[in-house]
Amino acid sequence: MDKGWCKLTLALLVLLVSTNAEASFSYHMEDFIRAVKQIEDEDPGSDPATVLMRLRRAAGLNDAFIRHFLPDAQAASEMPTNLSEYFRKAVHHRVLEDFKEEGVVLTPDGTTVTVAPLLLGIEAGILKTKRQAHIHLTLAKDLGVSFRRHSSGTHYLGPDGCWNNVTSPQVFTLSSKPNLFTIAQINGRMDGMILGTEISANSSCLLKLSSLLKQYYSHQLDREGMDSAPRLISQRRRENFKLLVFPPRLMRKTMTTVELQQRLTGQPKMKMETKRKLRAVVKMAIKEFVHMYMDCPPIISRCMWGAEPYRGTPTSLSLPLPFLFIHHTHTPSEPCLTFEKCSADMRAMQRFHQEDRGWDDIGYSFVAGSDGYIYEGRGWDIQGAHTYGQNSKGYGVSFIGDYQTNLPSQHAMSLVRDQLASCAVNRGGLVSSYTLQGHRDVVSTTCPGDAFYKEISTWEHFGKVKTQKP
Ligand SMILES: *[C@@H]1O[C@H](CO)[C@@H](O)[C@H](O)[C@H]1NC(C)=O
Ligand SMILES: *[C@@H]1O[C@H](CO)[C@@H](O)[C@H](O)[C@H]1NC(C)=O
Ligand SMILES: *[C@@H]1O[C@H](CO)[C@@H](O)[C@H](O)[C@H]1NC(C)=O
């Protein structure tokens, strides 16, 4: 952690007790942080570990497995009933019959996280109780149970979901039946592990929980976007997590955690056969995890940016495709740096394509923001309207901005060149020997801009040939 965290803490310590409490909080991380701050402000002398214990008490995060690593939360003082209610619902994870997922919050970058593993990871990091407690605690919650519940579907991870409202989120609904872990659970576990590791390596100064969360989740990017952003922010979740774990070790840790959890909760020792089955499931789940989180870039889904439905009947692509076409949007001409702005740009482009152009949907397959995320356009399976005459042969990926004289950020280019492309190859969307071209290689246009076109012509898969002119 850098020095800024310590300074912020000092500043917060001199704040007076806040008296104007909010009437109601949404399940947005900004609101969650305000609620945490209210707890801190009411008791300015309390340290983060105490605050975390109080949150755990409110949320009932205090089973034998957790108590093996952390103090008994019953020792923490109770909170006012209304706050306690809020924290219980924000932290206690469950999926209801109708696929509503609770215990999740929407973060400012447009991703959703479960709060419990996040808090457990941080508390274990602060207390440095037992070796690698933060890993067990972030991995663990009911891991064994979910493995056993898992019926042999084809997927182990997911799904993601949609919020009823992204400015004042209250209800999060999964897009289908939950698998072993929902996307929010994975995000929360990664964040818990990242922050827990960081703090346990480095808790030389006492920080406030609210300022820690604020720095991690609410960092505002400046004009250079991710290229000049600090290391420890939620937009870098996957990058940071990749540095922390390597898959075979994650597999071993997961097995140890399940066994430990079963022992501590008084369940009989696993039979060899059960253990073998469990190991097979863990192995497949981690394989899927590596694909989704290590090959693929983070993608903001249509419901999150507020897409209108596709009009008419979509044409399915016949995969794998031989081409990847690179575009710039030209309008909007400025790179977008926040989830709100990128989402608004997506909606504006969709409106233009549907209303003015009379197309069925936004033309692009995917769009790269400069906020650290890729935005889903028509997606992997549906033919786009981006590169005249070639739409059935390739994906069209556009970068928000005008790149006639400037380049997109290195970070945004790498998301597409290194991650989206290899993700596409690994999931069978592109042939491994795919050809990458600029829009202008096919159609008479300046797109994707002189500067950017020069840049992509140095990329590994760039090739001028092979498309037949329409
Ligand atoms: C710990 O914090 C110091 C400054 O506060 C920073 O220079 C250092 O990189 C941090 N160490 C780790 C392991 O994060
Ligand atoms: C909780 O209750 C207290 C006292 O009744 C009130 O002042 C405060 O505004 C309430 N807070 C929330 C979050 O509803
Ligand atoms: C989301 O909630 C806010 C605050 O309640 C409201 O002003 C806004 O209109 C809502 N947005 C949508 C799309 O419903």
Side-chain angles (χ1 to χ4, degrees):
M1 245 141 284
D2 48 40
K3 290 247 162 55
W5 295 26
C6 303
K7 277 197 210 124
L8 248 165
T9 307
L10 286 177
L12 282 169
L13 281 176
V14 292
L15 273 181
L16 294 175
V17 178
S18 139
T19 44
N20 48 336
E22 278 302 314
S24 75
F25 294 117
S26 75
Y27 295 99
H28 195 285
M29 183 56 92
E30 307 264 5
D31 267 357
F32 183 81
I33 294 172
R34 281 197 298 136
V36 168
K37 197 162 173 306
Q38 193 172 324
I39 296 291
E40 291 170 344
D41 290 350
E42 277 162 13
D43 184 7
S46 67
D47 59 17
T50 309
V51 172
L52 283 156
M53 259 173 85
R54 296 183 71 193
L55 293 178
R56 267 202 297 124
R57 177 170 182 173
L61 278 181
N62 198 36
D63 63 20
F65 181 76
I66 292 173
R67 290 200 313 273
H68 178 67
F69 296 102
L70 302 174
D72 187 347
Q74 287 307 327
S77 56
E78 258 182 288
M79 289 182 195
T81 324
N82 51 2
L83 270 177
S84 165
E85 270 300 297
Y86 172 75
F87 284 121
R88 194 186 50 73
K89 194 144 172 244
V91 180
H92 182 80
H93 183 261
R94 57 180 188 156
V95 178
L96 308 176
E97 285 298 315
D98 53 0
F99 302 161
K100 297 214 172 9
E101 187 174 20
E102 292 185 349
V104 296
V105 304
L106 170 64
T107 76
D109 66 14
T111 55
T112 298
V113 300
T114 49
V115 183
L118 169 68
L119 298 182
L120 290 172
I122 295 174
E123 189 176 348
I126 291 174
L127 295 177
K128 292 192 213 175
T129 39
K130 300 206 168 97
R131 258 186 91 236
Q132 304 192 309
H134 59 280
I135 300 184
H136 286 296
L137 282 167
T138 48
L139 271 180
K141 198 75 190 97
D142 301 327
L143 202 56
V145 180
S146 28
F147 280 130
R148 263 174 284 125
R149 255 206 323 255
H150 180 69
S151 50
S152 53
T154 45
H155 291 289
Y156 296 87
L157 310 181
D160 210 337
C162 298
W163 285 97
N164 64 323
N165 178 324
V166 293
T167 31
S168 181
Q170 294 291 347
V171 180
F172 187 68
T173 309
L174 294 171
S175 57
S176 58
K177 187 170 166 293
N179 294 313
L180 214 49
F181 296 115
T182 65
I183 300 300
Q185 282 181 293
I186 298 171
N187 288 337
R189 280 158 211 260
M190 290 203 279
D191 286 350
M193 206 174 300
I194 292 165
L195 291 173
T197 307
E198 190 72 20
I199 294 165
S200 69
N202 204 359
S203 60
S204 51
C205 70
L206 198 69
L207 40 97
K208 286 277 176 197
L209 179 61
S210 60
S211 51
L212 167 68
L213 294 175
K214 205 166 166 48
Q215 293 208 17
Y216 186 73
Y217 287 110
S218 304
H219 177 78
Q220 300 274 338
L221 297 174
D222 63 22
R223 274 199 64 85
E224 283 163 60
M226 294 293 290
D227 288 354
S228 65
R231 180 176 59 91
L232 219 57
I233 55 174
S234 61
Q235 293 94 323
R236 295 199 195 281
R237 172 181 299 131
R238 294 178 188 215
E239 296 161 43
N240 283 319
F241 194 75
K242 264 187 234 182
L243 298 175
L244 277 187
V245 299
F246 91 114
R249 184 157 165 270
L250 188 59
M251 157 117 200
R252 283 197 302 277
K253 273 270 167 261
T254 308
M255 289 301 295
T256 334
T257 303
V258 175
E259 285 175 90
L260 181 63
Q261 190 180 25
Q262 298 196 323
R263 182 160 62 75
L264 291 171
T265 50
Q267 294 165 53
K269 237 178 144 196
M270 268 185 288
K271 297 210 175 68
M272 282 311 282
E273 180 58 14
T274 318
K275 206 162 156 179
R276 196 186 55 75
K277 278 197 194 130
L278 180 63
R279 192 173 289 124
V281 172
V282 174
K283 194 169 169 190
M284 293 307 290
I286 288 180
K287 192 167 161 221
E288 197 177 321
F289 175 82
V290 169
H291 170 66
M292 280 173 70
Y293 283 85
M294 303 200 170
D295 301 338
C296 295
I299 297 175
I300 303 283
S301 64
R302 292 172 67 96
C303 71
M304 291 302 298
W305 59 260
E308 290 294 327
Y310 190 97
R311 293 180 177 173
T313 314
T315 307
S316 295
L317 286 164
S318 131
L319 305 176
L321 303 171
F323 287 97
L324 177 59
F325 300 109
I326 301 292
H327 298 246
H328 70 165
T329 61
H330 189 263
T331 315
S333 59
E334 291 298 314
C336 60
L337 298 166
T338 62
F339 166 59
E340 282 81 23
K341 180 63 171 59
C342 298
S343 296
D345 287 349
M346 290 298 286
R347 291 192 299 272
M349 288 189 285
Q350 189 190 35
R351 207 175 308 126
F352 179 67
H353 290 172
Q354 288 186 328
E355 306 293 332
D356 298 43
R357 292 270 165 89
W359 298 346
D360 297 337
D361 193 5
I362 187 168
Y364 308 118
S365 312
F366 293 97
V367 176
S370 296
D371 60 336
Y373 290 91
I374 302 285
Y375 286 73
E376 180 184 23
R378 296 204 191 181
W380 297 115
D381 300 315
I382 306 223
Q383 180 173 317
H386 44 80
T387 311
Y388 185 70
Q390 305 299 325
N391 289 317
S392 64
K393 308 214 177 78
Y395 290 122
V397 177
S398 193
F399 287 69
I400 294 182
D402 176 347
Y403 299 108
Q404 184 61 21
T405 50
N406 300 311
L407 285 180
S409 69
Q410 291 299 323
H411 191 274
M413 290 195 288
S414 158
L415 274 187
V416 172
R417 181 191 57 217
D418 307 327
Q419 291 191 52
L420 189 68
S422 69
C423 172
V425 170
N426 288 342
R427 75 196 312 284
L430 281 178
V431 299
S432 58
S433 61
Y434 71 90
T435 303
L436 180 141
Q437 298 194 321
H439 188 193
R440 66 167 68 173
D441 288 317
V442 185
V443 176
S444 166
T445 170
T446 55
C447 177
D450 286 351
F452 193 22
Y453 181 72
K454 196 161 159 237
E455 164 70 25
I456 63 168
S457 63
T458 68
W459 291 3
E460 194 188 330
H461 282 264
F462 182 80
K464 277 174 106 58
V465 285
K466 284 188 270 185
T467 50
Q468 306 143 350
K469 297 270 174 188

